[in-house]
Amino acid sequence: MNRRLLAVIGVVLVVAGILAMSSFFIVEQTEQALVLQFGQPRRVIREPGLWVKRPFVENVIHYDTRVLDFEPPHEEVIVSDQKRLVADTYTRYRIVNPLQFYQTVGSEAGVRARLTALVTGSLRRVLGSVTLNDILSNKRAAIMVQIRDDVAVQAKDFGIDVVD
């Protein structure tokens, strides 16, 4: 009888431990979290700390609040004076709306694919309207700002803010 009671108590403690481990989650200071219930978004958590969710029903996706880097492959562009130019680009962005980010691109891999298309399109559009001398002169900073602003406007729909 005594062994049976100890076995029952042990099983109850193990089950309680499993439930506790799957009920609590931590949001770090550099993160924000999106709680999903069967794949449907339920709430966005932006504050760091220890949080509770329903075990086995809800799951949590963590997104970084820091500035993230993305460097697509270099592009060969023809500028307005018909000169070929190989341009290396980079994008620095921050996830500002995790719900919109999840619904439009889903993950960082998804946003990288979309950003590649946006950056390439903007790069070709802007550099196709300027000359090589403009790119090599002091107008270069203004051209970079124009490309960044163009990408930032289009990227707002993904729940991200393009910083640079």
Side-chain angles (χ1 to χ4, degrees), residues 72-139:
H74 62 275
E75 289 289 324
E76 186 172 320
V77 181
I78 299 176
V79 294
S80 68
D81 54 356
Q82 300 303 314
K83 305 252 187 220
R84 292 184 183 267
L85 178 69
V86 176
D88 285 328
T89 59
Y90 66 91
T91 305
R92 291 193 175 109
Y93 65 95
R94 178 180 293 122
I95 300 170
V96 292
N97 187 340
L99 178 60
Q100 187 177 14
F101 183 83
Y102 174 75
Q103 291 173 337
T104 55
V105 292
S107 67
E108 287 185 33
V111 80
R112 287 173 190 258
R114 297 270 184 102
L115 276 177
T116 298
L118 289 180
V119 170
T120 300
S122 180
L123 183 72
R124 290 180 184 278
R125 196 170 30 257
V126 172
L127 293 185
S129 65
V130 298
T131 64
L132 183 61
N133 289 336
D134 290 341
I135 294 170
L136 298 176
S137 70
N138 58 359
K139 296 179 184 177

Side-chain angles (χ1 to χ4, degrees), residues 20-21 23-28 43 45 47-53:
M21 298 268 303
S23 296
F24 295 105
F25 65 97
I26 296 174
V27 177
E28 301 289 336
R43 61 189 164 147
I45 299 172
E47 300 296 319
L50 182 65
W51 294 85
V52 179
K53 67 178 182 75

